[in-house]
Amino acid sequence: MNRIAQLTFLAALSFSQIALSAGLSVSDIEQKISAKQSEYENYNSVLDSEISNAAKLERGLADLRKNVTLADADRQSALIEMNLQYDKVIENPELDIAPARSAYAKAVRTHKAIKDAISDKYNQWQAKLQEVEQMQVSKHSLLNTIEGLKEQLNSARVDRLYEEFNRKEAVVVSHKIACDKDETLSKCTERGKSLAKQKASKRFLDTVYSSLSEAKEVEKRRPTSDVSVQVLRSDVADSNFSGQGNYNVKMNLQLQGNLKRSEGCQLLGLDRRYCVSFAGKNTVKLGAAAPILVTDDSVMYELTVRSNVFDDEVFIDGVSYGSTKLQIMLPSGQHDVEVTKRGYESNHQQITLNESKTIKVELERAQYRFSKGERIQDILAGDIPGPDLVVVPAGNFRMGDITGLGLANERPVQTKDLKQSFGISETEISVGAFKAFVRATSYVTDAEKGEGCAFYQDGKAVWQANRNWRSPGFAQSDNHPVVCVSLKDAQAYVDWVSKASSQAYKLPTETRWEYAARAGKETDYWWGEGINSDNANCGWCGSQWSNVSTAPVGSFERNDFGLFDTVGNVWEWTVSEKSSSHAVVRGGAWNFAPRLARASTRMELDGSFRANYIGFRVVREQ
């Protein structure tokens, strides 16, 4: 097995090994990450070498093509000379023309040898390009494996912290207090025992914190934590009163740390998504241990929200709960409630819920244009609605790996200036929109004509002939993003929309895509630095579609320019501004890790590639 085949095989094993990581300890997963990182770096080095080899083959082919032109000229010259000698032999039969014939034969052989060499070199070049394309896909698959292991590492860290913190321990404590002059002996006794419990709990909590595997990391956030200690059992082993009015007590206690999973994430500085259940259950099992409650035992009250408009949206504690009239059960305490609607000023208020409550919201029309951008839509020939577009204003921004957490191909960071506003589809192009294009043009996609469509399995892209945009391997409605389309397919759609609307539609350049995706932010994601939970459809991102399938377009919140799904769901084709021979997909996908869904992440692919995790959106010139 040659080196490239070995590397591809290793990348193929990587994703399947993630599944085997479930239930492993933190140190086991850290070792796996270290090993995979070494594989990735080695793989990247070999890929760079193979790209260089492909370039060398291409240069060699160009040289041969120059040589064949010269050889052809030599052949023509030798032919002319031989013909001249034949003319002379008619007048002088004794003339020796063998040298001319020999020179012509040699020129013919040389010309043929160079042409054969060109054919051989071309085949070598094409084979090398295919190897490079497969390695590029495998490279990103291996990177996704590493990011997946990091996701599992964080979950394992929370599990470990939970187990270490919520341990039980028998504690013996002695305490002495001075009884107050006006205090009865009974009250002094109870106060002494209560203070002894507090003393034991404090000592136990200090011991728990200091013995944690990540004690230094946790200690930084201890002042703002809300953990507690539960007294499971307490017995007085000995007690007495001294002659000076002092009460001495010795107690045996059974104590247990009380750490909720959500508090574990806070102590470790992790996103909340590592500490919630994604399966709709309220418990998570850790080996043979007792179930851990994800939610607390707070009293639940009913909150009813009404407004004076239809088709609004209600956010409670940053989570969308749909439109009014809304009735929902919430735990007691403070909650942030925001009601929004396009064209109206948002209403935001904080409520304290200690009983069932109804709030009525009066939304007022906004004085200015909707801040997320004007919406426009062209009507195409045949009364077909075009893509829903959002106008993105002109401006400048810093493009690339601003936070320093990205990959090498995201650097250097550059300031880009977009002098003209443009329209961009607010969602990825949907199955329904692509279906209208196919019906109008009878277009047949590359996947339907060739090898089919790739899907992600066992850490690599696997081709299957019967997969295409109509059947990508999971259920899709007209409202899901179209997938299994190549760059050529996406461009064909753009050309059709341009002609049918008499407007200038294009695929987004990388600069326009990142500018629109960032929406004025310089963080890794348009809402902030962390992926958090259920903000987007990407692998291990906490939604019901994560690592399962695409989500319907617009299932998550818009960014500040009014665009949906610039993080996750499907990678989106863009026109590369760094390489003329390759296109670039941006934005991450439902089965790729959160780190690969950052605003600056670039994945370079051949334009003929298609997969059930790649789609596109369009832009329109003003």
Side-chain angles (χ1 to χ4, degrees), residues 8-22 32 36 39 138 140-149 152 455-462 539-540 546-548 590-593:
T8 304
F9 177 72
L10 289 172
L13 288 177
S14 297
F15 191 76
S16 61
Q17 290 174 346
I18 291 181
L20 300 178
S21 301
K32 282 183 172 288
K36 292 300 173 189
E39 286 180 26
S138 298
H140 292 289
S141 299
L142 184 56
L143 182 61
N144 194 38
T145 297
I146 294 171
E147 294 303 321
L149 284 169
Q152 297 210 11
F455 62 98
Y456 197 57
Q457 184 180 62
D458 296 332
K460 64 179 181 179
V462 180
W540 306 277
S546 293
N547 288 319
V548 176
W590 57 271
N591 55 347
F592 277 70

Side-chain angles (χ1 to χ4, degrees), residues 428-431 476-483 550-553 569-570 615:
E428 300 114 339
I429 297 303
S430 67
V431 172
Q476 290 217 117
S477 69
D478 282 356
N479 200 38
H480 282 73
V482 67
V483 293
T550 60
V553 297
N569 216 18
V570 294

